[in-house]
């Protein structure tokens, strides 16, 4: 991060640019990101827990399918509906599939849906918002109108409608999740780009003969990245929750595939007869993942917020 | 006041137009041949062409849009293939069930969240403040269908306190005469207390599920805005003038703190109307949400489109009501409007 970014407070919507207190410059000028991360974690152990959980989820997503004890798709009717035991940590479902293996293997799919939808909405919403904030005028009006129209729907209902119309596939779940988050990203990016449009460093870059596109990519975008990163980690949890909700009602993911939402749906009918573990463990995994991403959002905010960097 | 409502009504028009355009696009422009779908899998190409011209799908898009809007104005949302009924009729029959559930959930959530948020702000740093923080963090992480299933397991299977999660009434009970469509109200009007108790027993778990879900944003907002108001000058003045704590918190602070909370209700409704679908599926609740889910499974598109449109219009109307409520609470909005 260069010195310019230190002078410019990132949540500039809320705080008018105040003179930077002289105290800040007495801090060691170059602390590494890693040292700073350690400081944040030491200050708030909950953030440490969130980063630890995140690492665990990441490992499960990468290596999960290859390290699980059983084939997540292999059914074994002799071992159907077994309670959690040493052989089957999370028990088995109605087809005798090992739930632990399925829960771990499902991480990759759920995590990818969240990552891809967040990446997609970051590109769509971020680009639209930055253009709207930088140029204003008709682009601003169009982006604002599109965002307003999306916000006029109850978001989960809109996602249902989109997946139903576009066709029942995982790709469309990603797209629908991205679309319902569009207003959020577009608005943040717009506000952040708008306050920087006429900032001194942008004017200076413009006077040195840079084109609009260069200004956007080298001056505006790098400076709004921190707040977008916070936004992305905050929406990850919502994206996973939304995708799992859609597959719970039978959209997107097809039955034999291990995925948390659909596994909860499969176990739902067994709850009333007391086989709790079928729905419980995938639901728990989902809950932990969402909880982790929500905490992580706060952690990332601490990490990138220049106000707290010292 | 009337003028303000009128002006606010004008600003909802673009939202409604946007909603109608989006639902139209969802039905027409996207992949999948609607005519082939309506003709059925065994139809000949000739039959598909006939159906296409009967449905007006061979017309240019703007013409189709005009006839779509014309049908909407007449309240025609098409026919459901699974029930064989007009979608409007189906939705109207099932809407009260969803409304009863959503309202019960919202009232429960407010009944817990408002006192919790106020107490957390008044006694900052106490155990109730910590409880408030836990509720706010846990509430947003809980998948609503998972909470519902956990509640069913604990209160139906283990404790046996609540009835089986199968709809609004016990299979053997008969529905009360339909006046409002809300069973709790209708049974009371008919003085049928046994059915009232039965309907209430069925309603509690799904309503609690929805309430847990919407607790987090309301609690967090109440706490934050109450804290802001308690630090304001007029509260200090009220205290300095020797008013009792009850008067200062209840009359001076609370009413002012409610403004941001009422604004948050718009977002809460967006969550609630979506969560409703999931909760209805878990509890086999015969509302519009489970109607849409059944239609989804049967690839029956007209009910889904009708459902999305109805929910969107309802949501726009709810936001309008919230704004009007805002004017009732805050006289300044009325004067400016």
């Amino acid at each position: 991060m260069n010195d310019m970014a230190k002078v410019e407070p990132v949540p500039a919507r809320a705080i008018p640019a105040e003179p930077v207190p002289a105290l800040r410059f007495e801090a060691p000028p170059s602390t590494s990101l890693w040292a700073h991360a350690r400081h944040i974690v030491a200050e708030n152990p909950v953030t440490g827990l969130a980063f630890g959980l995140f690492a665990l989820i990441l490992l499960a997503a990468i290596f999960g399918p290859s390290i699980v004890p059983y084939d997540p798709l292999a059914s074994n009717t002799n071992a159907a509906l077994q309670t959690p035991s040493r052989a089957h940590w999370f028990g088995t479902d109605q087809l005798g599939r090992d739930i632990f293996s399925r829960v771990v293997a499902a991480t990759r799919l759920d995590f990818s849906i969240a990552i891809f939808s967040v990446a997609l909405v970051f590109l769509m919403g971020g680009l639209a918002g930055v253009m709207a904030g930088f140029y204003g005028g008709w682009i601003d009006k169009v982006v604002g109108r599109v965002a307003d129209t999306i916000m006029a729907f109850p978001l989960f209902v809109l996602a249902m409608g989109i997946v139903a119309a576009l066709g029942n596939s995982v790709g469309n779940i990603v797209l629908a999740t991205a679309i319902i988050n569009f207003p959020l990203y577009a608005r943040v990016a717009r506000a952040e780009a708008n306050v920087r449009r006429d900032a001194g460093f942008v004017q200076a870059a413009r006077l040195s003969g840079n084109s609009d596109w260069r200004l956007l990519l080298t001056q505006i975008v790098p400076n709004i990245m921190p707040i977008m990163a916070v936004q992305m980690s905050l929406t990850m949890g919502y994206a996973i929750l939304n995708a799992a909700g859609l597959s719970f009602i039978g959209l997107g993911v097809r039955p034999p595939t291990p995925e948390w939402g659909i596994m909860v749906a499969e176990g739902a009918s067994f709850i009333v007869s007391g086989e709790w573990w079928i729905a419980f463990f995938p639901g728990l995994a989902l809950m932990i993942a969402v909880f982790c991403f929500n905490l992580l959002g706060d952690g990332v905010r601490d990490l990138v917020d220049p106000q707290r960097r010292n | 006041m009337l003028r303000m409502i009128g002006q606010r009504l004008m600003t909802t028009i673009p939202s409604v137009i946007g909603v109608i355009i989006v639902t139209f696009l969802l039905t027409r422009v996207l992949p999948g041949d609607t005519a082939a779908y309506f003709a059925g899998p065994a139809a000949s190409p000739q039959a598909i062409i006939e159906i296409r011209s009967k449905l007006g799908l061979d017309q240019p898009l703007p013409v189709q849009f005009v006839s779509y809007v014309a049908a909407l104005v007449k309240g025609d949302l098409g026919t459901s293939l699974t029930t064989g009924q007009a979608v409007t009729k189906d939705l109207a029959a099932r809407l009260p069930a969803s409304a009863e559930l959503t309202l019960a959930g919202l009232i429960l959530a407010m009944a817990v969240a408002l006192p919790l948020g106020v107490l957390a702000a008044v006694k900052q740093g106490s155990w109730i403040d910590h409880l408030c923080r836990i509720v706010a963090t846990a509430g947003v992480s809980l998948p609503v269908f998972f909470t519902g299933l956990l509640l069913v397991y604990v209160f139906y299977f283990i404790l046996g306190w609540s009835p089986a999660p199968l709809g609004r009434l016990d299979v053997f009970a008969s529905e009360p005469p339909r006046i409002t469509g809300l069973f709790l109200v209708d049974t009371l009007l008919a003085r049928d207390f046994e059915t009232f108790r039965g309907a209430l027993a069925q309603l509690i778990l799904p309503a609690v599920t929805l309430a847990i879900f919407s607790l987090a944003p309301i609690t967090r907002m109440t706490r934050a805005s109450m804290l802001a108001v308690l630090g304001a000058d007029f509260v200090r003045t009220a205290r300095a003038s020797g008013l009792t704590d009850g008067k200062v918190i209840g009359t001076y602070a609370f009413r002012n703190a409610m403004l941001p909370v009422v604004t948050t209700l718009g977002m809460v409704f967006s969550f609630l109307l979506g969560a409703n679908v999931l909760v209805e599926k878990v509890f086999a609740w015969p509302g519009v949400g489970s109607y849409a889910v059944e239609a989804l499974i049967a690839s029956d598109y007209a009910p889904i489109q009708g459902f999305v449109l109805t929910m969107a219009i309802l949501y726009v109307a709810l936001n309008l009501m919230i704004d009007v409520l805002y004017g009732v609470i805050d006289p300044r909005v009325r004067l400016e409007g």
Side-chain angles (χ1 to χ4, degrees):
Chain A
M1 189 68 61
N2 54 23
D3 285 341
M4 209 56 96
K6 272 185 185 163
V7 180
E8 184 73 15
V10 164
R13 295 160 296 163
I15 310 156
E18 285 168 358
V20 180
L23 232 171
R24 184 160 310 171
F25 293 108
E26 288 166 16
S30 63
T31 345
S32 72
L33 187 71
W34 177 241
H36 181 57
R38 269 206 322 246
H39 167 72
I40 295 269
V41 169
E43 200 174 73
N44 187 354
V46 177
T47 307
L49 176 77
F51 277 104
L53 276 176
F54 182 72
L56 198 70
I57 293 173
L58 204 61
L59 283 179
I62 297 169
F63 301 109
S66 45
I67 56 165
V68 290
Y70 297 87
D71 178 354
L73 294 177
S75 54
N76 171 13
T77 39
N78 291 329
L81 294 177
Q82 285 185 359
T83 47
S85 62
R86 291 184 74 162
H88 299 283
W89 291 355
F90 291 177
T92 58
D93 66 4
Q94 72 280 13
L95 297 174
R97 294 173 297 195
D98 179 49
I99 293 176
F100 176 72
S101 305
R102 285 174 67 74
V103 166
V104 174
T107 314
R108 183 181 289 179
L109 182 57
D110 278 278
F111 192 65
S112 322
I113 292 178
I115 288 275
F116 280 113
S117 65
V118 167
L120 190 62
V121 70
F122 169 71
L123 286 179
M124 295 192 316
L127 190 70
V130 166
M131 302 268 289
F134 188 74
Y135 288 109
W138 67 269
I139 300 182
D140 193 13
K141 284 208 177 70
V142 169
V143 171
R145 182 54 66 206
V146 169
D148 282 349
T149 304
I150 294 174
M151 292 294 282
F153 285 88
L155 295 179
F156 185 76
V157 171
L158 179 62
M160 275 173 71
I162 293 172
V163 179
L166 287 180
N168 206 341
S169 71
V170 177
N172 286 333
I173 286 210
V174 171
L175 185 64
T177 309
I179 290 176
I180 62 173
N181 278 323
F182 176 85
L184 211 63
Y185 281 73
R187 284 186 182 167
V188 171
R190 182 198 171 278
E192 296 296 317
N194 198 35
V195 293
R196 285 178 181 69
R197 181 170 65 175
D198 299 319
F201 61 93
V202 177
Q203 299 283 27
R206 194 194 301 275
L207 284 173
S208 341
N210 287 299
S211 68
D212 276 357
W213 275 103
R214 263 189 76 84
L215 285 182
L216 274 177
L217 290 179
T218 61
Q219 307 298 320
I220 306 273
V221 171
N223 275 298
I224 69 169
M225 274 314 274
I227 196 128
M228 293 304 275
V230 174
Q231 191 65 257
M232 282 166 88
S233 46
L234 284 175
T235 30
M236 277 282 282
Y238 179 62
I240 257 190
L241 212 50
N242 188 65
L246 288 173
S247 63
F248 179 78
I249 57 172
L251 285 172
V253 187
R254 312 248 164 195
T257 318
E259 190 277 337
W260 295 332
I262 206 163
M263 287 171 73
V264 176
E266 283 171 349
S269 49
F270 291 94
I271 284 278
V272 283
S273 51
E275 284 95 4
W276 53 274
W277 57 90
I278 306 178
F280 180 75
F281 290 109
L284 189 70
L286 180 62
M287 205 183 90
I288 291 175
V290 176
F291 190 61
C292 160
F293 290 138
N294 286 341
L295 288 178
L296 207 64
D298 299 336
V300 170
R301 182 171 45 207
D302 292 351
L303 195 60
V304 300
D305 192 340
Q307 306 282 337
R308 289 198 52 172
R309 184 176 272 193
N310 53 31
Chain B
M1 188 71 190
L2 273 178
R3 214 174 112 227
M4 183 208 110
I5 297 176
Q7 278 176 347
R8 183 59 183 77
L9 210 54
M10 296 300 284
T11 59
T12 59
I13 291 174
S15 305
V16 173
I17 294 175
V19 162
I20 292 175
I21 292 177
V22 169
T23 29
F24 170 74
L25 289 179
L26 285 178
T27 47
R28 302 301 153 96
V29 193
L30 302 165
D33 187 343
T34 319
Y37 171 74
F38 275 105
S44 63
Q46 182 62 36
I48 292 177
I49 292 172
E50 263 175 39
I51 286 183
R52 183 168 298 141
S53 70
K54 206 177 111 201
L55 292 175
L57 292 173
D58 50 354
Q59 304 284 332
L61 218 53
V63 178
Q64 284 190 37
F65 182 68
V66 170
S67 52
Y68 176 80
V69 174
L72 270 190
V73 171
K74 281 185 275 176
D76 178 8
L77 290 168
T79 309
S80 161
L81 296 180
T82 26
T83 65
Q85 300 262 15
V87 170
T88 327
K89 212 175 147 193
D90 277 344
L91 286 174
R94 284 164 160 262
L95 207 53
S98 299
E100 185 168 39
L101 176 58
T102 313
L103 280 178
L106 185 69
I107 291 171
L108 261 178
M110 303 253 280
V112 178
L114 293 184
L116 189 62
V118 169
L119 281 177
V122 173
K123 297 195 161 68
Q124 212 190 339
S126 68
W127 65 270
I128 206 151
D129 194 14
H130 292 296
L131 179 73
C132 174
R133 195 166 304 136
I134 292 170
V135 163
T137 319
V140 289
S141 311
L142 275 170
V144 63
F145 47 90
F146 185 54
T147 334
L149 287 172
L150 284 183
L151 289 178
V152 168
Y153 181 68
V154 173
F155 291 99
Y156 168 70
F157 184 76
I158 296 187
L159 297 173
W161 289 358
S162 68
L166 295 168
R168 301 176 77 186
L169 272 183
D170 192 75
V171 238
F172 302 111
S174 56
E175 286 190 20
R178 185 175 171 132
I179 302 163
T180 57
L182 310 176
F183 281 5
L184 290 187
V185 179
D186 286 358
T187 49
L188 282 185
L189 288 177
R191 304 195 165 276
D192 182 355
F193 297 110
E194 197 170 327
T195 318
F196 174 80
R197 216 171 299 133
L200 186 64
Q202 296 280 357
L203 181 66
I204 287 177
L205 281 196
V208 167
T209 309
L210 272 185
I212 291 176
F213 181 69
S214 46
L215 213 54
I218 307 180
T219 312
R220 196 193 306 220
M221 203 56 189
T222 309
R223 178 178 177 275
S225 73
M226 197 70 191
L227 272 181
V229 171
L230 283 178
D233 286 347
F234 69 90
V235 169
R236 198 188 50 189
T237 309
R239 278 195 207 284
S241 314
L243 292 176
T244 58
D245 262 5
K247 187 99 181 158
V248 170
I249 293 165
T251 312
Y252 281 64
F254 185 69
R255 193 162 165 182
N256 281 289
M258 275 305 94
L259 292 172
V261 178
V262 168
T263 317
T264 334
L265 278 187
M267 190 189 74
V268 170
F269 267 118
S270 169
F271 285 158
L272 270 180
L273 294 178
N276 214 25
V277 178
L278 299 168
V279 173
E280 283 184 13
K281 180 162 193 269
V282 171
F283 291 92
W285 196 259
V288 284
S290 55
Y291 176 63
V293 171
E294 282 157 27
L296 271 179
I297 292 164
S299 307
D300 188 0
Y301 291 114
I304 304 168
Q305 307 299 349
F307 167 74
V308 173
L309 184 69
T310 312
M311 286 297 117
I313 301 281
L314 197 65
Y315 180 52
V316 171
L318 283 171
N319 273 322
L320 179 68
M321 268 169 55
I322 287 169
D323 278 9
V324 173
L325 192 62
Y326 209 96
V328 173
I329 298 179
D330 188 354
R332 284 170 301 183
V333 180
R334 249 175 295 170
L335 290 176
E336 282 162 20

